[in-house]
Amino acid sequence: VPLPEKALIEEVRRFARSRSTGNVRLGIGDDCAIIGIPPRHEALVTTDFSLEGVHFRRQWHPPESVGHRCLARGLSDIAAMGGTPIAAFLSLALPARLPQSWVDRFIKGLLSLAKRYSVALAGGDTAQSPAGVLADIIVMGSVPKGTAVIRSGARPGNAIYVTGALGGSAATLNLLRTKRKVVPSETDRHFYPRPRLEVGRYLREKHIATAMIDLSDGLSTDLAHICDESSVGAEVEMPRLPLASAGKPPTSVSVDLALHGGEDYELLFTAPAKTRVPSVISGVPITRIGTITKVRGLFTRDASRRTPLLVRGWEHFRRT
Amino acid sequence: VPLPEKALIEEVRRFARSRSTGNVRLGIGDDCAIIGIPPRHEALVTTDFSLEGVHFRRQWHPPESVGHRCLARGLSDIAAMGGTPIAAFLSLALPARLPQSWVDRFIKGLLSLAKRYSVALAGGDTAQSPAGVLADIIVMGSVPKGTAVIRSGARPGNAIYVTGALGGSAATLNLLRTKRKVVPSETDRHFYPRPRLEVGRYLREKHIATAMIDLSDGLSTDLAHICDESSVGAEVEMPRLPLASAGKPPTSVSVDLALHGGEDYELLFTAPAKTRVPSVISGVPITRIGTITKVRGLFTRDASRRTPLLVRGWEHFRRT
């Protein structure tokens, strides 16, 4: 077999063994993994593709970043439910001519993030890819029964909040697109997004969030998801938007990127108007950006001007 | 978006809603699915790729068969643990020019098998594919705590059994390879394999099986997995091998296909020599084919002749 399957499996097994926790009863190497769900908890499951040419490019993204982003996508979904991740499963198809060092660095990036959140890599599948690196990450977590924060709980009058700052990932992507040299920094949310697991858990435990989603497709698209599922509308106050900084010297990103740029992996949530929401949770700034309305539709407000907010879907690298 | 993503998601959602069971608390349409695991049970998780050109070919396999085989791979892994499936998750990347009818028929084949075993399609991911149809199926199931039948339980002196007949799927594949016209029949295990869920569960409940695996890679490879994990050897009695029938008129497949042909999705298990094992379980014949030995290594026995059994890995369509 020309594929580094065996080496990969061995490498992953070694890690899985050393990291296996009480909840992973059986990891890689059988027909299924066996995962214990804590008593009176429910399981959370999310799956996310990371496809070369669609979600990343090998010329742009170092292998460690590809591995990190791959797992971060799944962890961010767990964060958006207020859950705790338990185990990840990686289905990975590799082209025959891929250097072994690329695979090693990819796994290193993925496992390094897994370790930070005590997530075990408990299984997956490997195959030879017909075209490019194809990864599918599955993350399983848990949450106390009936307490997950879902998308459909937003109510008219609720305040709308976001964590961190918006548009930073898209700004870096724009730099990559214009072929300017970008040094992938550990602190750049495009290359190394940090899933907001602690914040998500806090918002659930303190019964603050009525609805929550992670910002993977961009604020306009993800806010539309919450509004659709909750049968409500929303008004975003433009001056309140926390704009990310990017470039050297750092300057604020455009409002357009903050509204429509994807892959920031911040959390967007709603809370009753009277609920006291801390301005910082686990070191992450929390900003109120608007209000849920009874009238359907999305709007932005800038001083006295009210404008319909166009929902622009995030298409990753598809059309670049 | 040129991709039939929205139509697909809507179609799948409609089904998911109508089929949602008590265990699927929240299905498609949020950041994660929420799955209830029955009290005193553990979760089983398995992931399997179905990649065009690697696991199937669009010229050979009707879309319904591709969808059926995709889910069957995962269900068969649950069967091999003696578990009960709860929910499936489908990550599906489609090329831009794929006809909508292909997707509809693929989903139909997958959901038809899901319905037969009361498995809910509870989530997944969609993307545009850089090359061919790429599917990753995740199946989640459950089993009472500590009772899953794993690969490492085979002991010297245990008898070795298989369900059904062997080599049928590989025989059909050989016909496809020689470009002979093959009419995909509903009863052909290559096109429509039936996962042995009832048999697997029976073997666990009655405490019959000491180790179990599903035959996806072929008898020699999968028996080697059990022996490796259990630190034992095995001797296969050649005259006992249940050979599948194939072709018109039906003739028995070669011993070679029965030993090394993959994708039969039968169960291979071991049981103590003195345990009474039914000759038929849920309508499926059970055949004793050999014995586990203390001495490592795999052998075949034919009358008085003992020959080392070469382990030949199954490579799907890779090199055809």
Side-chain angles (χ1 to χ4, degrees), chain A residues 1-3 5 13 17 25-26 29-37 39 41-55 73-74 76-78 80-81 89-93 96 123-131 134-140 143 145-146 148-152 212-214 229 315 318-319, chain B residues 1-3 5 13 17 25-26 29-37 39 41-55 73-74 76-78 80-81 89-93 96 123-131 134-140 143 145-146 148-152 212-214 229 315 318-319:
Chain A
V1 192
L3 186 72
E5 261 185 44
R13 268 192 180 197
R17 281 205 181 113
R25 309 273 158 76
L26 187 68
D30 215 297
D31 297 282
C32 294
I34 306 178
I35 311 288
I37 303 293
H41 279 59
E42 298 170 307
L44 301 173
V45 183
T46 175
T47 86
D48 290 281
F49 269 133
S50 292
L51 308 178
E52 183 174 346
V54 179
H55 303 93
R73 296 190 68 194
S76 184
D77 283 323
I78 299 285
M81 311 293 284
F89 304 83
L90 175 67
S91 288
L92 184 62
D125 193 14
T126 54
Q128 187 166 326
S129 164
L134 313 172
D136 189 34
I137 193 87
I138 296 92
V139 181
M140 194 170 158
V143 72
K145 242 177 225 180
V149 185
I150 62 181
R151 294 180 182 177
S152 56
M212 185 150 60
I213 192 171
D214 72 318
E229 294 292 328
E315 302 220 359
R318 267 175 213 160
R319 293 283 163 249
Chain B
V1 191
L3 186 70
E5 260 185 46
R13 267 193 181 195
R17 282 206 180 115
R25 310 274 159 76
L26 187 68
D30 215 297
D31 296 283
C32 295
I34 307 178
I35 311 287
I37 302 294
H41 279 59
E42 297 170 308
L44 301 173
V45 184
T46 175
T47 86
D48 291 281
F49 270 134
S50 292
L51 308 178
E52 184 174 344
V54 179
H55 303 93
R73 299 189 67 192
S76 184
D77 284 323
I78 298 285
M81 311 295 282
F89 304 84
L90 174 67
S91 289
L92 184 63
D125 193 14
T126 54
Q128 186 164 326
S129 164
L134 313 171
D136 189 32
I137 194 86
I138 297 92
V139 181
M140 192 169 162
V143 72
K145 243 178 224 179
V149 185
I150 61 180
R151 295 181 181 175
S152 57
M212 186 151 57
I213 192 171
D214 72 318
E229 294 293 328
E315 302 221 357
R318 267 174 212 160
R319 293 285 163 246

Side-chain angles (χ1 to χ4, degrees), chain A residues 26 29-31, chain B residues 77 79-82 147-156 158-163 199-200 203-204 207-215 222-234 266-272 275 277 286 292:
Chain A
L26 187 68
D30 215 297
D31 297 282
Chain B
D77 284 323
M81 311 295 282
T147 69
V149 185
I150 61 180
R151 295 181 181 175
S152 57
R155 296 291 170 262
N158 278 186
I160 306 170
Y161 296 84
V162 291
T163 62
V199 181
L203 294 169
R204 171 184 58 75
H207 308 283
I208 291 172
T210 52
M212 186 151 57
I213 192 171
D214 72 318
L215 289 171
D222 290 319
L223 181 55
H225 287 319
I226 282 194
C227 289
D228 285 350
E229 294 293 328
S230 302
S231 305
V232 294
E266 297 292 352
L267 295 176
L268 169 69
F269 65 96
T270 57
T275 298
V277 178
I286 311 292
I292 293 293

Side-chain angles (χ1 to χ4, degrees), chain B residues 16-300:
Chain B
R17 282 206 180 115
S18 66
R19 301 287 315 162
S20 75
T21 68
N23 285 324
V24 179
R25 310 274 159 76
L26 187 68
I28 292 166
D30 215 297
D31 296 283
C32 295
I34 307 178
I35 311 287
I37 302 294
R40 291 176 300 282
H41 279 59
E42 297 170 308
L44 301 173
V45 184
T46 175
T47 86
D48 291 281
F49 270 134
S50 292
L51 308 178
E52 184 174 344
V54 179
H55 303 93
F56 69 91
R57 291 193 173 183
R58 256 193 279 163
Q59 313 94 283
W60 290 354
H61 299 93
E64 292 87 352
S65 162
V66 178
H68 178 108
R69 286 159 46 99
C70 174
L71 179 59
R73 299 189 67 192
L75 293 178
S76 184
D77 284 323
I78 298 285
M81 311 295 282
T84 302
I86 297 174
F89 304 84
L90 174 67
S91 289
L92 184 63
L94 303 171
R97 282 154 195 278
L98 191 74
Q100 179 63 39
S101 64
W102 194 95
V103 183
D104 291 345
R105 293 173 58 192
F106 168 87
I107 294 289
K108 196 182 144 205
L110 191 149
L111 292 185
S112 159
L113 180 63
K115 195 174 171 180
R116 199 178 309 163
Y117 293 104
S118 301
V119 174
L121 187 56
D125 193 14
T126 54
Q128 186 164 326
S129 164
V133 174
L134 313 171
D136 189 32
I137 194 86
I138 297 92
V139 181
M140 192 169 162
S142 78
V143 72
K145 243 178 224 179
T147 69
V149 185
I150 61 180
R151 295 181 181 175
S152 57
R155 296 291 170 262
N158 278 186
I160 306 170
Y161 296 84
V162 291
T163 62
L166 306 179
S169 179
T172 298
L173 185 58
N174 276 355
L175 286 179
L176 289 166
R177 274 181 175 139
T178 54
K179 296 195 175 69
R180 258 185 273 176
K181 201 172 159 58
V182 180
V183 181
S185 137
E186 291 274 330
T187 59
D188 188 317
R189 278 192 80 77
H190 179 76
F191 292 106
Y192 296 96
R194 258 169 288 171
R196 300 302 192 191
L197 283 158
E198 299 88 350
V199 181
R201 205 152 45 213
Y202 181 96
L203 294 169
R204 171 184 58 75
E205 282 170 359
K206 303 292 180 191
H207 308 283
I208 291 172
T210 52
M212 186 151 57
I213 192 171
D214 72 318
L215 289 171
S216 53
D217 293 338
L219 178 62
S220 63
T221 304
D222 290 319
L223 181 55
H225 287 319
I226 282 194
C227 289
D228 285 350
E229 294 293 328
S230 302
S231 305
V232 294
E235 194 174 285
V236 175
E237 295 165 57
M238 298 299 282
R240 289 179 178 266
L241 277 187
L243 306 177
S245 293
K248 281 183 184 178
T251 50
S252 284
V253 304
S254 71
V255 163
D256 202 58
L257 285 185
L259 284 175
H260 308 294
E263 302 192 314
D264 279 322
Y265 297 111
E266 297 292 352
L267 295 176
L268 169 69
F269 65 96
T270 57
K274 287 179 180 170
T275 298
R276 216 199 128 268
V277 178
S279 58
V280 175
I281 299 173
S282 294
V284 182
I286 311 292
T287 309
R288 185 181 165 170
I289 61 162
T291 308
I292 293 293
T293 60
K294 194 173 172 182
V295 178
R296 300 291 296 261
L298 304 188
F299 294 88
T300 59

Side-chain angles (χ1 to χ4, degrees), chain A:
Chain A
V1 192
L3 186 72
E5 261 185 44
K6 284 212 169 166
L8 172 65
I9 291 171
E10 276 313 310
E11 186 173 345
V12 165
R13 268 192 180 197
R14 259 199 311 279
F15 176 86
R17 281 205 181 113
S18 67
R19 300 289 312 163
S20 76
T21 66
N23 285 325
V24 179
R25 309 273 158 76
L26 187 68
I28 291 167
D30 215 297
D31 297 282
C32 294
I34 306 178
I35 311 288
I37 303 293
R40 291 177 299 283
H41 279 59
E42 298 170 307
L44 301 173
V45 183
T46 175
T47 86
D48 290 281
F49 269 133
S50 292
L51 308 178
E52 183 174 346
V54 179
H55 303 93
F56 68 92
R57 293 192 172 183
R58 256 193 279 162
Q59 315 93 284
W60 289 354
H61 298 94
E64 292 88 351
S65 162
V66 178
H68 178 108
R69 286 160 46 99
C70 175
L71 179 59
R73 296 190 68 194
L75 293 178
S76 184
D77 283 323
I78 299 285
M81 311 293 284
T84 302
I86 297 173
F89 304 83
L90 175 67
S91 288
L92 184 62
L94 302 171
R97 283 154 193 278
L98 191 74
Q100 178 64 40
S101 64
W102 195 95
V103 183
D104 291 345
R105 292 173 59 193
F106 167 87
I107 294 289
K108 196 181 146 208
L110 191 149
L111 292 184
S112 160
L113 181 62
K115 194 174 172 178
R116 197 177 310 161
Y117 292 103
S118 302
V119 175
L121 188 56
D125 193 14
T126 54
Q128 187 166 326
S129 164
V133 174
L134 313 172
D136 189 34
I137 193 87
I138 296 92
V139 181
M140 194 170 158
S142 77
V143 72
K145 242 177 225 180
T147 68
V149 185
I150 62 181
R151 294 180 182 177
S152 56
R155 296 291 170 262
N158 278 186
I160 306 169
Y161 296 85
V162 292
T163 62
L166 306 180
S169 180
T172 299
L173 185 58
N174 276 353
L175 286 178
L176 289 165
R177 275 181 174 139
T178 54
K179 297 197 175 67
R180 261 184 272 177
K181 203 173 157 57
V182 179
V183 181
S185 138
E186 291 273 330
T187 59
D188 188 316
R189 277 192 81 75
H190 179 76
F191 292 106
Y192 296 97
R194 258 169 287 170
R196 300 303 193 191
L197 283 158
E198 299 87 351
V199 180
R201 206 153 42 215
Y202 181 95
L203 293 170
R204 172 184 58 75
E205 281 169 0
K206 303 291 181 192
H207 308 283
I208 292 172
T210 52
M212 185 150 60
I213 192 171
D214 72 318
L215 289 171
S216 53
D217 294 337
L219 177 62
S220 62
T221 303
D222 290 320
L223 181 56
H225 287 320
I226 281 194
C227 289
D228 285 349
E229 294 292 328
S230 303
S231 306
V232 294
E235 194 174 287
V236 175
E237 294 166 57
M238 298 299 283
R240 290 178 178 268
L241 278 187
L243 305 177
S245 293
K248 279 182 184 179
T251 50
S252 285
V253 303
S254 71
V255 163
D256 201 58
L257 286 184
L259 284 176
H260 309 293
E263 303 193 312
D264 278 323
Y265 297 111
E266 297 292 353
L267 295 176
L268 169 69
F269 66 96
T270 57
K274 286 179 179 169
T275 299
R276 216 197 126 272
V277 179
S279 59
V280 174
I281 299 172
S282 294
V284 182
I286 312 292
T287 310
R288 182 178 169 174
I289 62 161
T291 308
I292 293 293
T293 59
K294 194 175 172 184
V295 177
R296 302 290 295 262
L298 304 186
F299 294 88
T300 58
R301 181 177 289 277
D302 207 340
S304 63
R305 217 166 116 232
R306 194 160 165 273
T307 320
L309 171 59
L310 209 65
V311 174
R312 297 218 311 253
W314 180 241
E315 302 220 359
H316 302 289
F317 311 123
R318 267 175 213 160
R319 293 283 163 249
T320 60

